[in-house]
Amino acid sequence: MKKETTLILVKPDAVAEGLTGEVLRRFEKEDLRILNCRMLRLTPALLKEHYAHLAHLPFFPEIEKFMASGPVVAVALQGPKAIERVRELLGPTDSTKAPKGTIRGDLGKDKMHNVVHASDSPENAKAELKRFFGTEEPKV
Ligand code: ADP
């Protein structure tokens, strides 16, 4: 099966609470391999670009504030059907509706504080990998 590469961001509260290892363990257990990773703070410009599809929504300033509240961990994950499988392992956006056993269902708090961002399509995966690693195949 063809390998894909996807981009995840462990969100600031999850990083601060020491959940990065648990999150990565869940992906690695499912044979998704870490191709590259980095810790960074999201700048206003990066946030505007990354969440452009939400810029019109009333809670956008809250998302910006939350996502800039501390460092995130950006990870390029690779494996068969990685984009779809990572989204499945996360569960739906609203943590309170995410089934137990999913990352958001087990570790998330609500709609906004949902532990991890993950690319939702091959096009977005390419754009997001470039955004955070400068290349679509961020091998070290
Ligand atoms: P996903 O992260 O599941 O792909 P979206 O792209 O729709 O979801 O939203 C991006 C992020 O914005 C979510 O992960 C969440 O942190 C926040 N968000 C989305 N919808 C809401 C909402 N109704 N209220 C608060 N925050 C939200």
Side-chain angles (χ1 to χ4, degrees):
M1 205 183 295
K2 197 176 153 282
K3 278 186 189 169
E4 289 176 343
T5 308
T6 191
L7 183 281
I8 67 149
L9 298 175
V10 185
K11 298 192 177 187
D13 59 338
V15 172
E17 287 160 22
L19 292 174
T20 307
E22 169 67 16
V23 165
L24 295 184
R25 190 187 67 88
R26 289 183 182 224
F27 292 128
E28 289 189 305
K29 230 173 55 174
E30 294 295 322
D31 286 330
L32 291 151
R33 292 286 161 250
I34 297 172
L35 208 58
N36 204 337
C37 72
R38 62 184 284 233
M39 193 175 213
L40 72 156
R41 279 177 193 271
L42 299 182
T43 60
L46 200 53
L47 270 169
K48 285 246 160 21
E49 192 184 308
H50 188 67
Y51 283 124
H53 64 294
L54 302 178
H56 61 289
L57 296 173
F59 52 83
F60 184 65
E62 260 182 88
I63 296 182
E64 280 189 301
K65 197 171 155 204
F66 164 52
M67 290 301 291
S69 64
V72 301
V73 175
V75 186
L77 287 173
Q78 191 172 66
K81 289 188 153 198
I83 298 163
E84 188 184 319
R85 284 172 58 226
V86 164
R87 294 285 300 192
E88 278 167 13
L89 291 168
L90 277 193
T93 307
D94 187 348
S95 307
T96 65
K97 301 218 167 81
K100 288 290 157 208
T102 64
I103 290 171
R104 286 170 169 172
D106 292 346
L107 308 172
K109 300 183 190 103
D110 52 36
K111 260 187 201 162
M112 184 166 298
H113 305 89
N114 57 10
V115 195
V116 177
H117 162 84
S119 310
D120 63 1
S121 67
E123 298 69 38
N124 284 341
K126 283 191 180 129
E128 293 176 1
L129 287 160
K130 271 197 133 171
R131 184 172 303 142
F132 288 95
F133 291 99
T135 164
E136 291 168 19
E137 261 322 273
K139 287 189 190 137
V140 176

